[in-house]
Amino acid sequence: MEEFTSVLIPLPPAVGRAIGDRTGGPILLNTRGARMDRHAATRRLRRLAAQSVVRLPRMHPHMLRHTFVTTMLDAGVDLRDVQVAARHADPRTTMRYDRARNNLDRHPNYILAAYMASGT
């Protein structure tokens, strides 16, 4: 059995509305109302994908995690903050998700130059 450590994660308002009046316990539940394990998550995701227009060869929950990390990096969230949110021990793991790491517009030199040019 997997051991879970308690982590405080703020929920966006839309998630809070979706889970209703619950104030504790796991957010993702299986059909029996218990904590969803990775196998149940995979089955649920594949059922949802089959009902949608999404057509990927092998849908799995890690795709959602990958999207979570990649989207945060694309949105400009600081690498360290993304690392903490993804619970990666090593920042190099987080950096592998950064599709724009070679984008010069995001290079610190360009960011600093834009800041200095703005006169702030």
Side-chain angles (χ1 to χ4, degrees), residues 9-28:
I9 300 174
L11 296 177
V15 175
R17 288 188 300 273
I19 64 173
D21 295 332
R22 290 190 293 147
T23 58
I27 293 174
L28 300 175

Side-chain angles (χ1 to χ4, degrees), residues 1-14:
M1 182 171 185
E2 295 180 44
E3 182 177 325
F4 294 95
T5 56
S6 180
V7 177
L8 180 62
I9 300 174
L11 296 177

Side-chain angles (χ1 to χ4, degrees), residues 85-118:
R87 301 180 76 190
H88 290 154
D90 189 330
R92 291 175 294 188
T93 304
T94 311
M95 288 179 65
R96 287 196 313 244
Y97 290 90
D98 193 357
R99 296 183 294 199
R101 66 180 165 269
N102 295 321
N103 179 349
L104 293 180
D105 290 338
R106 284 188 33 198
H107 192 279
N109 290 346
Y110 282 172
I111 294 170
L112 178 61
Y115 175 79
M116 298 300 287
S118 71

Side-chain angles (χ1 to χ4, degrees), residues 51-68:
Q51 295 170 359
S52 75
V53 296
V54 175
R55 294 294 173 248
L56 294 172
R58 297 277 297 162
M59 289 291 284
H60 51 87
H62 190 77
M63 294 172 106
L64 300 176
R65 178 177 172 79
H66 187 278
T67 301
F68 171 70

